[in-house]
Amino acid sequence: MNYHTVNIAGFDAHLPILPLPSGISIAFFNLHGDSELTEHCAKALAQKLTDCDVLITAESKGLQLTHCVARELGQRYYAVARKSKKLYMQDGIELKIESSITTGKEQTFYLSKHDAELIKGKKVGIVDDVVSTGASLKGLEQLVEKAGGIVHKKAFVLAEEDAANRTDVIYLAQIPIFK
């Protein structure tokens, strides 16, 4: 297997290069199970999000990252855009979003009433692992706005390919797409 090494704010991560059904390959970034890398990235991102009232992420790869960022910022709660509707979410918000580079299909985000109330009227920081095409980010932005929150900052560990040229996102390092 081939790997791409990226330095993330002083931490060298070795990412496996994996093919997607679309024919391109990506440097696959996975925080699941890596507490040291997750903590490192969370501390670096938290320094850039100190003026956010509350955070939101999409399940699942952003969950532990956002948990650690929220802890660093002293925020007890953060909002989670779920990809399936849970029993406790009957009175929440739902929003269909475009397909992302990794899913390749349309998705729906669900936000519980608790989380919608948590972000209403607040400066919200969107946190996730990687920004690429921006489809998931666009969905999160729309969800925040639908809930009455104000998208204040958009922060990622990695920006993939052209996403690194965006001026509206914060990221710690960039990675290429392999064609």
Side-chain angles (χ1 to χ4, degrees):
M1 179 175 293
N2 291 326
Y3 290 84
H4 175 75
T5 300
V6 61
N7 184 282
I8 305 170
F11 191 112
D12 282 338
H14 307 288
L15 312 179
I17 300 172
L18 302 176
L20 295 178
S22 64
I24 63 169
S25 294
I26 60 170
F28 185 69
F29 182 63
N30 183 12
L31 288 172
H32 288 314
D34 191 335
S35 61
E36 184 178 359
L37 180 56
T38 300
E39 293 287 343
H40 174 82
C41 294
K43 285 178 177 153
L45 284 178
Q47 293 174 10
K48 301 174 183 296
L49 299 170
T50 57
D51 57 344
C52 293
D53 298 323
V54 67
L55 307 174
I56 188 171
T57 194
E59 72 175 355
S60 74
K61 286 172 60 186
L63 284 173
Q64 67 269 21
L65 175 65
T66 306
H67 176 93
C68 293
V69 173
R71 186 190 64 230
E72 288 293 317
L73 295 174
Q75 297 177 4
R76 180 175 176 186
Y77 296 104
Y78 55 93
V80 179
R82 305 289 296 234
K83 294 181 182 174
S84 61
K85 192 172 191 175
K86 306 301 180 194
L87 186 60
Y88 66 90
M89 304 178 96
Q90 301 311 309
D91 54 358
I93 296 172
E94 64 183 72
L95 178 75
K96 291 201 182 307
I97 65 165
E98 300 171 25
S99 64
S100 70
I101 192 170
T102 50
T103 63
K105 61 181 180 177
E106 184 180 82
Q107 299 181 83
T108 303
F109 278 159
Y110 300 91
L111 193 64
S112 70
K113 182 178 180 182
H114 172 271
D115 286 359
E117 290 174 356
L118 179 67
I119 65 178
K120 185 177 182 178
K122 304 273 181 52
K123 293 188 299 185
V124 180
I126 295 173
V127 178
D128 212 347
D129 60 340
V130 179
V131 60
S132 185
T133 63
S136 296
L137 173 57
K138 183 178 175 185
L140 284 170
E141 289 175 293
Q142 292 171 344
L143 197 61
V144 167
E145 290 165 4
K146 192 171 181 177
I150 302 143
V151 176
H152 186 61
K153 290 191 175 168
K154 299 168 257 186
F156 302 86
V157 176
L158 299 174
E160 192 170 57
E161 198 75 18
D162 292 340
N165 299 326
R166 293 179 63 147
T167 58
D168 65 326
V169 299
I170 298 164
Y171 59 90
L172 302 177
Q174 63 185 84
I175 54 174
I177 290 178
F178 303 89
K179 299 174 182 169

